[in-house]
Amino acid sequence: MQKKELLYEGKAKKLFATEDENLLISEFKDDLTAFNGEKKSSEAGKGALNNKISTELFKLLEAKGIKTHFVKMLDDNHMLHKRTKVIQIEVIVRNIATGSLTRNLGIKDGTVLPFTLVEFDYKNDALGDPKLNDQHALILGLVEYQDELDKLRRVARQINDILKPYFAAKGLNLVDFKLEFGKDKDGNIILIDEISPDNCRFWDIASGEKMDKDRFRQGLGGLKVAYEEVLNRILGNK
Ligand code: TYD
């Protein structure tokens, strides 16, 4: 499957058409951005690591019955996936309080939440990705029906129920993560985008070390080593 025209360039990926109108190719870039694009950098090999990590996690989720856009990894930096109509909602799942939850509500950093929290953010850079409740999402027409919002929450929890114990067995705390969904050609809501240390927080259970993009955002260094470690643990090499 060959890349055809560039359809879109995002912060972490480029999206290409293919000869099949129902299939697209994502190219995983080495670029890193933080704080709504203000802080930019690049780390050679980061894109390939995220492609490989996402590939493994999409395969795991598919095997557990979660519908995703994943078709196959083509090479180090390219993934073939289904075309969908993107739902402009970021679905954030949290097990431990940190980041914006701590900043916005004053919950102490590192607090284990009494239950898994699922939040919606509006995917809209110009507005700074504000929080959404269900009524906001319906008024904005981001989905048609309440049922669809319920489905996003349900599938996000199912994904957490699969990934949290999976990473715990590999010595990693899945602190929080961001998911995106789209509608396929038959109107089914499926998981899209990527699942990688760019959009998940992983804390090493033994040392408490951050193993995700916060290494860049907080100027901790060692981003690539941390991403390689996450991949190696996924592949069972550690
Ligand atoms: P959050 O704590 O809301 O934001 P911040 O990064 O500003 O502290 O992030 C929660 C999780 O969602 C975290 O794993 C990062 C991920 N996320 C993204 O991947 N993209 C985003 O635009 C946002 C806001 C979060």
Side-chain angles (χ1 to χ4, degrees), residues 90 92 94 99-100 103 176-178 199-201 217:
E90 299 192 332
I92 312 255
R94 301 178 186 271
S100 67
R103 289 195 302 276
D176 57 28
F177 53 98
K178 185 253 311 181
N199 54 23
C200 302
R201 285 193 172 101
R217 299 198 286 192

Side-chain angles (χ1 to χ4, degrees), residues 34-235:
F35 315 116
N36 235 350
E38 276 168 43
K39 190 174 158 189
K40 286 200 174 72
S41 183
S42 176
E43 178 94 27
K46 193 264 312 184
L49 286 163
N50 281 352
N51 190 19
K52 288 171 190 167
I53 290 168
S54 290
T55 291
E56 294 303 320
L57 296 178
F58 279 135
K59 283 184 185 168
L60 169 77
L61 292 174
E62 284 279 351
K64 301 272 186 188
I66 304 287
K67 297 283 173 246
T68 81
H69 74 161
F70 178 77
V71 176
K72 67 174 172 176
M73 191 173 105
L74 295 173
D75 60 33
D76 269 11
N77 283 81
H78 294 97
M79 180 187 285
L80 181 68
H81 56 82
K82 292 177 190 156
R83 181 196 286 267
T84 63
K85 188 166 182 298
V86 177
I87 297 172
Q88 301 297 325
I89 297 176
E90 299 192 332
V91 181
I92 312 255
V93 183
R94 301 178 186 271
N95 296 305
I96 297 175
T98 194
S100 67
L101 185 63
T102 301
R103 289 195 302 276
N104 294 340
L105 298 183
I107 301 174
K108 192 170 175 288
D109 195 81
T111 304
V112 177
L113 298 174
F115 53 86
T116 301
L117 172 61
V118 182
E119 301 175 325
F120 295 150
D121 288 1
Y122 184 14
K123 256 173 77 75
N124 185 320
D125 276 345
L127 294 176
D129 296 346
K131 290 276 161 229
L132 286 176
N133 67 24
D134 289 20
Q135 297 161 82
H136 295 138
L138 290 167
I139 285 169
L140 288 168
L142 305 183
V143 293
E144 261 183 284
Y145 306 110
Q146 177 66 42
D147 271 10
E148 297 173 304
L149 297 171
D150 297 340
K151 170 147 195 186
L152 295 180
R153 264 195 211 93
R154 193 167 63 245
V155 177
R157 284 182 193 287
Q158 283 169 354
I159 292 170
N160 187 57
D161 288 344
I162 295 165
L163 295 184
K164 194 178 155 215
Y166 172 83
F167 281 108
K170 296 170 183 295
L172 291 172
N173 237 330
L174 179 59
V175 173
D176 57 28
F177 53 98
K178 185 253 311 181
L179 301 172
E180 295 191 22
F181 293 87
K183 283 189 185 175
D184 69 12
K185 64 176 179 6
D186 304 315
N188 301 308
I189 293 180
I190 65 174
L191 180 67
I192 62 166
D193 194 40
E194 63 180 282
I195 315 175
S196 75
D198 269 13
N199 54 23
C200 302
R201 285 193 172 101
F202 298 111
W203 292 354
D204 185 71
I205 292 173
S207 67
E209 282 270 319
K210 295 177 180 179
M211 309 286 285
D212 53 65
K213 199 167 90 170
D214 278 348
R215 297 209 69 84
F216 164 67
R217 299 198 286 192
Q218 299 175 6
L220 301 171
L223 178 117
K224 197 175 162 194
V225 173
Y227 282 38
E228 276 166 354
E229 176 71 20
V230 171
L231 177 60
N232 280 331
R233 291 200 199 179
I234 288 170
L235 296 175

